[in-house]
C-alpha cells in the first residue's frame, strides 16, 4: 500500500501566500520521484494555516524527496516565514480517488 502524509503549518501573519508559492513550485517534479498526489490547501478558519496532503509510492520515496537539494532549498526559504507550529500524521493509504497517481 502507498504511504500518505497530512501536515499543517502555521505561517507568520501575511506570509501564507509566499509559503504556498514555495510549496507549489516544488511540486512540479514530484511525480517522477514517486509522488502520486500532492495537494496544498488553505485553512478556511485560519488565514495563516496551510495543510499539505501527500500520497507516495512508499515512505522511502517521500523521505528521499526531502533529501534533494531543491527540497532543502525550499525548506530553507520557507522556514523564516513559519511560526514553528506544525502537525503531521502518517498514513497507510488504502485507496481512493487520485491515490493511484491519476487525476
Amino acid at each position: 500500500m502507498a504511504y500518505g502524509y497530512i501536515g499543517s503549518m502555521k505561517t507568520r501573519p501575511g506570509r501564507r501566500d509566499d509559503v504556498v508559492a514555495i510549496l507549489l513550485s516544488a511540486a512540479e517534479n514530484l511525480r517522477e520521484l514517486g509522488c502520486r498526489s500532492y495537494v496544498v490547501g488553505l485553512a478556511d478558519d485560519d488565514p495563516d494555516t496551510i495543510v499539505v496532503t501527500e500520497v507516495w509510492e512508499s515512505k522511502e520515496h517521500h523521505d528521499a524527496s526531502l533529501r534533494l537539494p531543491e527540497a532543502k532549498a525550499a525548506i530553507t526559504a520557507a522556514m523564516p516565514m513559519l511560526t514553528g507550529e506544525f502537525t503531521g500524521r502518517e498514513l497507510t493509504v488504502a485507496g481512493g480517488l487520485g491515490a493511484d497517481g491519476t487525476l
Side-chain angles (χ1 to χ4, degrees):
M1 288 192 200
Y3 169 80
Y5 185 82
I6 299 173
S8 70
M9 62 193 81
K10 194 162 183 84
T11 66
R12 297 191 185 284
R15 300 312 301 260
R16 183 175 76 176
D17 291 345
D18 297 323
V19 175
V20 167
I22 291 169
L23 293 171
L24 292 176
S25 71
E28 203 169 296
N29 299 317
L30 292 180
R31 188 176 307 277
E32 61 198 45
L33 299 173
C35 186
R36 296 179 179 186
S37 176
Y38 181 82
V39 177
V40 176
L42 309 176
D44 288 340
D45 62 345
D46 184 344
D48 300 318
T49 297
I50 300 167
V51 179
V52 180
T53 305
E54 306 173 50
V55 177
W56 291 82
E57 294 291 327
S58 68
K59 181 169 178 18
E60 292 76 23
H61 283 88
H62 174 260
D63 292 350
S65 76
L66 295 174
R67 292 190 294 271
L68 295 172
E70 308 87 65
K72 290 180 179 182
I75 291 167
T76 298
M79 286 306 282
M81 294 181 266
L82 301 174
T83 65
E85 297 174 63
F86 300 96
T87 66
R89 169 87 33 130
E90 293 182 303
L91 310 165
T92 298
V93 178
L97 182 63
D100 63 356
T102 62
L103 297 177

